[in-house]
Amino acid sequence: MRSFVIGALRLVAASADEQVGWVWRNGVLTDEIALDLEHATAAAPGLVAAGVLGEAVLAGLREIDAVFGEMSGDPGRWSLEALARDEEWGRVRGLARELLDREGLGLAPLPEIHVIR
């Protein structure tokens, strides 16, 4: 589960080009990036309680998730083009990168997903 949280953060921290490639490769919509982060945020309290993640990671996840929440009312922010040009996408990328760096979690490869259709 820890690797899922780190993978979700890594995906948010990825460049716009990496995110677009990930969306295309996996045949999903851009909102999957935020949904993965939301699921990681929901899982994080248990990982903190188990001593697997620190409180700072949980706080950072919640901050990023809140920004995605603010974005959710505007469909234009979820286009592939928005990944490169929207200021809030740049903001969440910066927050995720800072969190990964600060916590020594590094920039692992983008997560693989398995979509069941």
Side-chain angles (χ1 to χ4, degrees), residues 31-65:
D31 67 344
E32 190 65 37
I33 297 168
L35 290 173
D36 279 359
L37 194 281
E38 180 180 24
H39 296 147
T41 302
L47 296 173
V48 171
V52 177
L53 287 178
E55 287 284 343
V57 175
L58 177 57
L61 287 166
R62 287 179 173 158
E63 182 178 5
I64 295 164
D65 193 44

Side-chain angles (χ1 to χ4, degrees), residues 70-78 86:
E70 293 167 8
M71 293 168 60
S72 68
D74 185 352
R77 291 191 141 154
W78 301 97
D86 189 277

Side-chain angles (χ1 to χ4, degrees), residues 78-112:
W78 301 97
S79 68
L80 290 174
E81 296 79 24
L83 290 174
R85 63 175 166 74
D86 189 277
E87 288 181 21
E88 293 301 290
W89 276 103
R91 180 176 168 206
V92 294
R93 263 187 218 100
L95 289 169
R97 289 173 185 162
E98 180 182 309
L99 182 58
L100 288 167
D101 288 346
R102 187 177 66 234
E103 296 299 313
L105 300 174
L107 284 180
L110 292 179
E112 295 292 324

